[in-house]
């Protein structure tokens, strides 16, 4: 599905960095969901977080590389594949905004400052970074 999404975004003319930003956010998001689900079900074993996180990254990155979607020599930014670069940026932005949301919520007696803040903060920051990299990669 991710490979099809990358192909579709390329067909639309969206740069791989921007696509990667949203893929990275998706990986972090689904990792957090899986870990929380396992916590609720009582599936606690040593190393499960790193296993889940690395499993999702590998399940997405390896097929993209094998299918030739990633790894093109001329599709690079700062020496990294544009898609991989975007995945790293998106992962960090999503994780950072999620942690910041939790910190803000804790300061406000465990209540968000506004409705849907938990969604608005990460999506807002991802949109901002997408716009920034749109203009960086456009030139």
């Amino acid at each position: 599905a991710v490979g099809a999404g990358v192909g579709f975004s390329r067909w639309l003319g969206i740069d791989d960095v921007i696509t990667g930003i949203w893929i990275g956010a998706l990986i972090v998001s689904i990792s957090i969901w899986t870990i929380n689900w396992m916590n609720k079900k009582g599936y606690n074993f040593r190393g499960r977080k790193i296993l889940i996180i690395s499993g999702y990254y590998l399940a997405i990155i390896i097929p993209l590389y094998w299918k030739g979607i990633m790894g093109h020599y001329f599709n690079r930014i700062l020496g990294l594949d544009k898609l991989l670069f975007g995945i790293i940026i998106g992962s960090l932005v999503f994780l950072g905004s999620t942690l910041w949301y939790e910190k803000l919520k804790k300061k406000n007696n465990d209540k968000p400052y506004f409705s849907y803040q938990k969604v608005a903060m990460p999506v807002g920051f991802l949109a901002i970074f997408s716009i920034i990299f749109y203009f960086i990669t456009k030139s």
Side-chain angles (χ1 to χ4, degrees), residues 26-57 94-95 98-99 118:
L26 175 67
I27 296 170
V28 173
S29 178
I30 202 164
S31 295
I32 292 169
W33 291 339
T34 303
I35 291 166
N36 288 338
W37 179 81
M38 289 183 83
N39 288 343
K40 288 179 186 174
K41 294 292 182 180
Y43 300 129
N44 295 319
F45 55 88
R46 189 176 218 164
R48 71 185 161 82
K49 290 181 182 179
I50 196 75
L51 182 67
I52 290 165
I53 294 166
S54 59
Y56 280 123
Y57 277 101
F94 189 88
L95 183 62
T98 301
L99 294 173
K118 187 175 187 174

Side-chain angles (χ1 to χ4, degrees), residues 6 12 23 34 37-38 40 43 46 56-57 68 78 81 100-101 103 109-110 113 121 127 129-130 136-137:
V6 172
L12 292 173
I23 293 171
T34 303
W37 179 81
M38 289 183 83
K40 288 179 186 174
Y43 300 129
R46 189 176 218 164
Y56 280 123
Y57 277 101
L78 300 175
D81 182 84
W100 191 27
Y101 162 75
K103 186 175 180 179
N109 297 321
D110 276 341
Y113 285 94
M121 282 184 66
F129 274 81
S130 294
I136 289 173
T137 59

